[in-house]
Amino acid sequence: MLFNSFEFVIFFFVVTSLYFLVSHPYRWILLLLSSCYFYMAFVPVYILILGFTIIIDYYAGMLIEKSTGKRRKIWLIVSLAANIGVLAIFKYYNFLNDNLTALLSGIGKSNPIPYLKILLPIGLSFHTFQAMSYTIEVYRGNQKAERHFGIYSLYVMFYPQLVAGPIERPQNLLFQFYKEHKFEYNRVIAGLQLMLWGLFKKLVIADRLSIYVDSIYNNAEHHNGPTFIVATVFFAFQIYCDFSGYSDIAIGSAKVMGFDLMTNFRRPYFATSISEFWKRWHISLSTWFKDYLYISLGGNRVTVPRMYFNLFFVFLISGLWHGANWTFIIWGALNGIYLIFALISQKYRDRFNEFLGIARNRQFHKILQILVTFALVCFSWIFFRAANFHDSSLIIHRIFTTGGSVFIGNMFLFIYCILAILLLLGIELRQELKGQILYFNSDQLVLRNISYMFLILLILLIGVFDGGQFIYFQF
Amino acid sequence: MVFFRKILILVVLLLAVDFLAGAVLKHFYFRQKSGIDYQTIYSVEKANEDILFFGSSRAAHHYVPDIFADKYAMSAYNTGRDGNYILYGYCLAKCIFERHQPKLAIIDVSRNEFQRKEGSYDYLSSLLPFYGNYESIRDIIDKRSRFEPVKLFFHTYPYNSLFPVIALNVIREKSKALNIKGYIPLYRSIDRPAKVISKEPDYELDPYLVDTFRQFIKKCKENGIAVAVVCSPYFDKYEQEDATLIKVKEICSEESVTFLDYSQDARFTGNQKKFDDYNHLNNDAAKEYSAICSDTLRILQHKIN
């Protein structure tokens, strides 16, 4: 069930209404059943995979807590192996097999290992990572093992964040299922506002931009450099509005029922450096990798070269997390390189800026930093969006070697895309400076209602209703 | 209670704004003077020609009504529309036949047209503005989604995405579209040689689309309209027969309707100078094709009748 579907509007209304009607001790049953229904609306049978990892992690959690010494570690490894194993089979098996086939054909041999004819379960990487964070936290002693099987299942399956995050931590979410949430006017309004904003970003901006972006990236051979630059900038905003739109709807729908999910995006294109970008983009995943991989590798408390390696490795894995394709791995590696380069060059860049006098003009310096960061991020998006390595190389080659005029296609759409991006930037700039979306939190009832009407009317008039899935569902 | 009161105010406000905006958009939608939507409006509400062409962009770019009109000494209009297929054509026919029966209906079909695929009914959004006034097409438009009738409760929904197009088409003077009677000429030549496609992936036929095609033919016959089904030329060479075309041939044979298959006609297929892109003939070739097609149909006219 997609957040941008009419089915979800009905589902959300029914589940939320029932949630406040049902007495507290039975609410977890309602949420669990509705989450199962939500997930089974995609491919019903894949709920068995979820069931498998839930059972393993539920018992692993209790066994880790009970055990001491080596046994504790063994149970953690069992849990991690089960989760990573599921990921490996469903997400990476065919990719690895593809590479093996290519390798063997290079030496004139054929690959005897068969391919699996399976569909990637929706949101697999998200709920697997959330499940892993539970057993790791129990192992680290930061979280007590959950005794209530239903509540633990709900922790993994809570429908707002089941298929595309935010990837929660047990310390933040589990206890909330035990709390009795009363109907709170301000909280419900805040949740609905966030949902409206998310829906606007997805339907009015992301899905419109995707029409232009797809027409360019799906016909890479026919376009020139300037066209790819424009398409890549459009894609940067498309993926942001698509994913952050999803996150806003997820966080908003949970908030209406009284749950606080972690913030996933904080206007990332206002970041002044790549490091800041990653503190603003997909925060729940970035912090997951920091907490469970980067720190486990030693984090900053190692030699400088080792720290660089840790950074690079974490981003490489982050790329692989996104998809079983070399383009994602390169995308991850590129971001790792950006960060390492930023660390190495910091001193020299500061001196250079001082020398040019840029640093003295703070505003100008900040704008310059935002633009450079955005350009670097856009460059990495080429790998993220391109269908394969051949296309991404072709696009980069064209960007640096060919000129000409930008392909406009449908003039309305093109102008619309530019206006939509400017509108988004305007609204987000206000949010960045004043902390509110449009006049959502104004004391004036009229201003608030005008803000709501403005977004709702734009959704009805310009929103793409047949746009389909969110990009991050495939991960 | 405060919450519900405020929500109620918001809902009332929303419905009022939606009603107003919807009424304004409806007013201007039906006053467009040119453009693709104007052609749909004309087809549904005004087309009264003797020969009508139905189909997708391949119909819109391949059949020159004037050539048929000259050959048959009858009037002709091309209702084909980019990105719209058999369901669109059938809906148009249902609307038109309520008030006018042409003498000849020519249905252009495409390869893969009856393929079952996700979102294959989405294009019917082009007919949403007619949902209210034409009861006969509602069941087809409802195929878009389970909640289509509920969505249509919103007055702005049928005009979703159309606002800038409507504004421009209302402002600008009549374009050439009306002068060429629905036919849209293309002028380029394709810049690559034709591919030889030995095998395409198998696909499943959508029974609803197949049935619609059959109903379309029956509807024409019920109204005493002569009907011919044609597959116009493709640029690439296909060595395998297409499942849709096999089905079309079968239904035409069952219904005793002429089916002309020009999809691999050597006079066009593979000729770079005659195609604008791999799916569409350019203007010169469309004229040549229209002449050939109209001649063949004249020879077969006794069969059609």
Side-chain angles (χ1 to χ4, degrees):
Chain A
M1 192 184 300
L2 301 172
F3 277 174
N4 53 337
S5 67
F6 205 77
E7 283 87 339
F8 179 73
V9 175
I10 295 168
F11 172 86
F12 172 74
F13 179 76
V14 171
V15 172
T16 310
S17 305
L18 287 174
Y19 182 78
F20 287 115
L21 288 174
V22 168
S23 67
H24 174 62
Y26 304 105
R27 282 179 175 173
W28 71 268
I29 302 172
L30 170 77
L31 284 181
L32 188 58
L33 288 177
S34 46
S35 297
C36 289
Y37 176 79
F38 180 85
Y39 192 73
M40 288 170 78
F42 296 105
V43 182
V45 73
Y46 281 158
I47 200 159
L48 298 175
I49 300 164
L50 260 175
F52 168 74
T53 51
I54 285 170
I55 291 169
I56 298 270
D57 294 329
Y58 170 72
Y59 285 108
M62 287 194 294
L63 290 166
I64 289 167
E65 194 177 61
K66 266 191 213 160
S67 316
T68 50
K70 262 191 177 177
R71 290 180 78 87
R72 205 172 153 79
K73 203 165 200 168
I74 288 170
W75 288 120
L76 175 69
I77 290 167
V78 167
S79 158
L80 296 182
N83 286 294
I84 295 169
V86 167
L87 263 180
I89 292 168
F90 284 92
K91 192 162 179 172
Y92 301 109
Y93 177 87
N94 284 341
F95 171 65
L96 292 172
N97 212 9
D98 263 345
N99 285 289
L100 184 67
T101 305
L103 213 71
L104 289 174
S105 73
I107 53 168
K109 297 203 168 170
S110 62
N111 179 8
I113 303 169
Y115 281 86
L116 290 178
K117 282 185 182 172
I118 42 172
L119 268 176
L120 178 66
I122 208 144
L124 182 68
S125 303
F126 286 93
H127 52 73
T128 309
F129 267 45
Q130 181 152 321
M132 284 199 282
S133 78
Y134 167 75
T135 42
I136 295 172
E137 290 296 351
V138 172
Y139 176 79
R140 286 180 177 177
N142 298 330
Q143 172 68 40
K144 280 189 174 176
E146 178 54 54
R147 295 301 195 266
H148 193 306
F149 183 71
I151 297 285
Y152 175 71
S153 305
L154 195 51
Y155 162 73
V156 180
M157 293 194 66
F158 187 41
Y159 87 81
Q161 39 90 250
L162 171 59
V163 288
I167 304 166
E168 274 298 344
R169 307 295 186 274
Q171 301 96 309
N172 184 41
L173 188 58
L174 267 172
F175 81 95
Q176 295 192 54
F177 295 120
Y178 287 100
K179 252 173 83 175
E180 185 173 356
H181 299 118
K182 296 231 166 70
F183 185 93
E184 276 180 50
Y185 175 79
N186 288 335
R187 180 186 275 280
V188 171
I189 292 295
L192 292 174
Q193 285 176 343
L194 211 50
M195 289 177 80
L196 177 63
W197 177 233
L199 212 56
F200 173 82
K201 282 196 279 186
K202 166 69 178 164
L203 297 180
V204 178
I205 304 178
D207 286 351
R208 282 277 162 220
L209 290 171
S210 82
I211 299 171
Y212 181 84
V213 173
D214 290 352
S215 73
I216 305 302
Y217 267 81
N218 294 349
N219 300 286
E221 292 193 358
H222 299 112
H223 296 287
N224 60 20
T227 305
F228 282 121
I229 292 174
V230 172
T232 305
V233 170
F234 282 6
F235 177 68
F237 285 98
Q238 181 205 337
I239 193 163
Y240 167 59
C241 288
D242 190 284
F243 192 23
S244 73
Y246 177 90
S247 294
D248 286 343
I249 301 170
I251 296 166
S253 54
K255 195 182 264 298
V256 170
M257 292 187 286
F259 293 91
D260 283 318
L261 299 183
M262 69 188 293
T263 304
N264 219 12
F265 289 88
R266 280 191 302 110
R267 299 167 293 285
Y269 294 138
F270 289 112
T272 53
S273 65
I274 292 291
S275 132
E276 192 190 342
F277 175 81
W278 282 106
K279 286 173 187 151
R280 288 168 172 257
W281 179 276
H282 203 177
I283 299 164
S284 64
L285 181 71
S286 310
T287 49
W288 196 101
F289 276 117
K290 191 185 106 196
D291 294 345
Y292 303 127
L293 188 58
Y294 183 67
I295 289 175
S296 302
L297 289 170
N300 298 338
R301 294 178 193 168
V302 285
T303 59
V304 173
R306 176 61 201 247
M307 184 185 79
Y308 293 157
F309 170 79
N310 290 350
L311 262 178
F312 183 76
F313 183 71
V314 166
F315 273 91
L316 203 70
I317 297 296
S318 164
L320 195 61
W321 177 91
H322 281 83
N325 191 326
W326 281 104
T327 51
F328 289 118
I329 297 171
I330 294 169
W331 171 78
L334 192 57
N335 276 284
I337 291 167
Y338 284 164
L339 275 177
I340 294 165
F341 178 77
L343 287 172
I344 294 171
S345 66
Q346 183 68 55
K347 240 189 326 189
Y348 306 104
R349 283 185 293 126
D350 287 346
R351 273 189 218 157
F352 185 67
N353 290 337
E354 202 62 49
F355 172 72
L356 289 178
I358 296 171
R360 266 172 269 146
N361 188 338
R362 275 188 164 186
Q363 284 298 84
F364 176 71
H365 189 207
K366 194 173 176 185
I367 292 168
L368 201 66
Q369 283 177 311
I370 290 172
L371 289 176
V372 170
T373 306
F374 181 70
L376 289 171
V377 170
C378 279
F379 184 74
S380 71
W381 285 137
I382 295 172
F383 293 98
F384 198 95
R385 176 59 185 84
N388 48 50
F389 183 68
H390 170 263
D391 275 9
S392 51
S393 332
L394 177 84
I395 291 164
I396 292 166
H397 184 255
R398 292 264 169 95
I399 285 175
F400 288 108
T401 58
T402 62
S405 54
V406 174
F407 171 80
I408 304 289
N410 181 337
M411 178 63 88
F412 284 124
L413 178 69
F414 192 80
I415 294 172
Y416 173 83
C417 288
I418 294 168
L419 293 177
I421 290 171
L422 291 176
L423 177 70
L424 175 82
L425 287 174
I427 296 173
E428 293 226 317
L429 184 64
R430 182 182 159 77
Q431 207 181 346
E432 182 82 4
L433 300 174
K434 303 208 168 180
Q436 64 168 321
I437 303 161
L438 290 170
Y439 291 93
F440 276 8
N441 301 332
S442 166
D443 294 334
Q444 308 267 340
L445 179 71
V446 178
L447 278 180
R448 283 205 307 272
N449 279 335
I450 287 175
S451 299
Y452 300 149
M453 282 303 131
F454 176 68
L455 293 190
I456 293 173
L457 205 61
L458 282 179
I459 289 172
L460 285 171
L461 287 178
I462 317 172
V464 178
F465 291 134
D466 309 316
Q469 280 204 2
F470 289 83
I471 296 173
Y472 264 71
F473 272 27
Q474 61 185 299
F475 307 137
Chain B
M1 270 333 272
V2 179
F3 172 77
F4 290 108
R5 205 174 59 221
K6 285 189 178 174
I7 286 285
L8 193 69
I9 293 170
L10 192 68
V11 169
V12 170
L13 208 64
L14 171 66
L15 292 178
V17 170
D18 170 66
F19 180 80
L20 258 167
V24 171
L25 285 166
K26 185 179 180 181
H27 176 84
F28 286 110
Y29 177 86
F30 286 100
R31 268 155 193 77
Q32 289 181 84
K33 295 169 187 166
S34 61
I36 198 164
D37 287 316
Y38 170 75
Q39 280 186 232
T40 302
I41 297 165
Y42 178 85
S43 303
V44 171
E45 301 203 322
K46 292 177 188 159
N48 58 358
E49 286 77 5
D50 300 319
I51 304 170
L52 291 179
F53 302 91
F54 295 93
S56 62
S57 59
R58 286 169 41 77
H61 299 304
H62 290 181
Y63 298 91
V64 185
D66 284 341
I67 291 176
F68 283 82
D70 289 347
K71 286 263 166 68
Y72 286 76
M74 289 176 184
S75 56
Y77 189 81
N78 190 334
T79 73
R81 178 168 169 149
D82 283 6
N84 283 259
Y85 300 91
I86 191 71
L87 295 177
Y88 174 80
Y90 184 46
C91 284
L92 283 194
K94 281 181 122 183
C95 297
I96 296 168
F97 297 170
E98 281 177 17
R99 55 169 181 79
H100 165 69
Q101 279 80 44
K103 293 198 172 89
L104 172 64
I106 296 173
I107 306 169
D108 185 87
V109 289
S110 306
R111 294 177 69 90
N112 307 336
E113 186 159 347
F114 300 161
Q115 182 178 1
R116 186 200 287 274
K117 45 189 169 192
E118 207 183 320
S120 61
Y121 306 150
D122 286 348
Y123 65 79
L124 285 168
S125 60
S126 54
L127 289 168
L128 286 173
F130 302 92
Y131 189 90
N133 291 343
Y134 292 87
E135 207 182 325
S136 59
I137 59 172
R138 285 183 197 164
D139 58 329
I140 299 173
I141 294 178
D142 286 346
K143 286 275 169 193
R144 290 187 81 235
S145 76
R146 274 191 288 173
F147 299 104
E148 209 58 18
V150 186
K151 289 179 190 171
L152 279 154
F153 177 75
F154 291 97
H155 292 73
T156 43
Y157 176 66
Y159 308 99
N160 169 259
S161 309
L162 293 176
F163 170 67
V165 182
I166 293 173
L168 188 81
N169 287 339
V170 166
I171 296 163
R172 81 179 166 193
E173 285 300 305
K174 281 185 183 180
S175 73
K176 290 174 189 169
L178 180 64
N179 298 337
I180 46 176
K181 298 173 181 121
Y183 163 69
I184 303 162
L186 300 169
Y187 295 101
R188 295 178 308 179
S189 294
I190 198 163
D191 59 359
R192 66 157 174 90
K195 289 177 191 164
V196 178
I197 298 162
S198 52
K199 188 166 168 33
E200 279 197 302
D202 291 336
Y203 62 84
E204 194 187 342
L205 291 172
D206 183 333
Y208 184 70
L209 298 180
V210 173
D211 186 55
T212 301
F213 174 69
R214 194 187 290 276
Q215 294 307 320
F216 197 165
I217 289 173
K218 285 190 169 161
K219 186 93 186 160
C220 292
K221 289 165 83 177
E222 277 167 19
N223 283 277
I225 301 159
V227 56
V229 180
V230 189
C231 182
S232 48
Y234 279 93
F235 177 59
D236 290 322
K237 293 170 186 163
Y238 293 93
E239 290 181 340
Q240 192 191 22
E241 224 177 339
D242 172 61
T244 297
L245 297 186
I246 293 171
K247 198 72 192 169
V248 165
K249 207 183 286 178
E250 186 187 310
I251 294 171
C252 287
S253 153
E254 284 166 16
E255 299 290 335
S256 309
V257 162
T258 299
F259 172 53
L260 300 177
D261 186 358
Y262 292 104
S263 63
Q264 297 295 290
D265 191 302
R267 287 168 288 188
F268 299 95
T269 298
N271 190 334
Q272 287 175 253
K273 286 182 184 163
K274 294 189 176 181
F275 282 84
D276 182 87
D277 62 58
Y278 62 96
N279 265 334
H280 304 109
L281 294 168
N282 58 29
N283 186 41
D284 291 338
K287 285 179 181 165
E288 184 188 341
Y289 166 69
S290 293
I292 293 169
C293 184
S294 56
D295 279 341
T296 316
L297 280 175
R298 275 194 83 179
I299 295 164
L300 295 168
Q301 207 169 3
H302 66 281
K303 273 191 191 173
I304 295 165
N305 292 324

